[in-house]
Amino acid sequence: MKVLVIGSGAREHALVWKLAQSQSTSQLYAAPGNPGMAAYAQCLPIAVNEFDALAGFAEQNQVDLTIVGPEAPLIDGIVDVFRRRGLHIFGPDAAGAALEGSKAFAKEMMTAAGIPTAQHRTFTVHKEAVAYLEEHGAPVVIKADGSAAGKGAIVALDIETARDALRQMMVERVFGTAGDVVVIEDYLQGDEIGATAICNGETYLPLTLTQDHKRALDNDEGLNTGGMGVYTPLPFVNRSQEELIHQQIIAATLKALNERGVNFTGVLYSNVMLTEGGPMVLEHNTRFGDPETQALMLLMRADLLDILGYPTMLSLEPQELWHPGSAISLTLASGGYPGKYRTGLPIKGIEEAERLEGVQVFQAGTALKDGQLVTAGGRVLSVCARGATLREATTRAYEAARLIQFEGVHYRHDIAKRGLRA
Ligand code: AMP
Ligand code: GLY
């Protein structure tokens, strides 16, 4: 099969790396790809939002399956464009991706379907939002509707921060039109985890649970980022809790979508808070997580193309699906990220790191300059490792990270701490 992967980050690098091991892959393409992916795939100079050019390439080159990494093209309807042209593509159509694209839609649907999520109110008028906030009090979470590149949610532990967030979103409009509609929701406490499922209508294959680390610095300090590290599976979640997450959240969401005429195919990846009152959805995503995917691909034993290309494979047993043990991904970021950072800095040590047992390095913000690999983004690399235990995987990943150098490199030192404590 000829497969095209759309995207340019470490998530897509991990997907391409895994697809390259498939018996059924004859040719891999990535659009636009990155230098890491070029080892397995032909990288195409087509941007993720050039739907006609992408579909045209797939047609002309008889691509059998296209897999979409990032949310933006899904929300903007790339799947609809491909399907209209009779092309096979893995991902939800625009109606399904609205679950991620519109927080207001997601909340409304969850409330109507009885899917556990924080109590919320939706506002379009700043004055009304402030009035509700004054009456409700803090802590609260304030979210700009629409996809604000992961920065649209502000956790306000005090009322001042909350007032500030409303003003920024609704008056100063720092997130642009994403601030037209603002959601104020109750603050939830507990362990925050990720639940990922490969979905085909109401049928789904749950992947192992993950835990991301969104803040830039150790001990969950610093600003929110795209994700600083993930490990999987989670030793502190037992089988019955996991079952509850799948039934009450994944299955219930697919059913609710179906009742609204949305046949959801693709990845449903939900951020879930394990509260004292049970699992509750923080947010739904309709694509693979990043850096979740890097750890998941390392742990996966099964052929990814079978899983994504043939929904009949959805009944795999856990031992067919996974290697035993654990996997972890560490984000190596540019100095200053998620704020301002420099690019074009030489990267050294990837080969040495990959010589370590169980280690794989996926590239995110990298570029080639005169044959030298250099930094080109905030999140630069995902240093991943698999091990027989979470401890082993973690030790391997940190050993590998220490072998990699670029000026200003920073990463968290406490990824998987919660899991190791359990
Ligand atoms: P979101 O963009 O909705 O995923 O929110 C970003 C981050 O804000 C989440 O990963 C959580 O850490 C935090 N968050 C969002 N909603 C809540 C909530 N209701 N209670 C506590 N923390 C939240
Ligand atoms: N790991 C966070 C995300 O992919 O949204």
Side-chain angles (χ1 to χ4, degrees), residues 11 212 214 226-227 230 269 283 285 287-292:
R11 164 182 53 204
D212 193 5
K214 296 210 169 160
V230 161
Y269 147 50
E283 174 194 51
N285 301 290
R287 37 105 194 146
F288 279 112
D290 184 349
E292 281 78 357

Side-chain angles (χ1 to χ4, degrees), residues 21 23 74 83 133 141 167 214 232 246 311 337 372 389:
Q21 296 164 42
Q23 300 286 338
L74 293 169
R83 292 211 177 121
L133 171 69
V141 183
R167 198 185 56 245
K214 296 210 169 160
T232 190
H246 294 147
Y337 172 82
Q372 162 72 52
T389 60

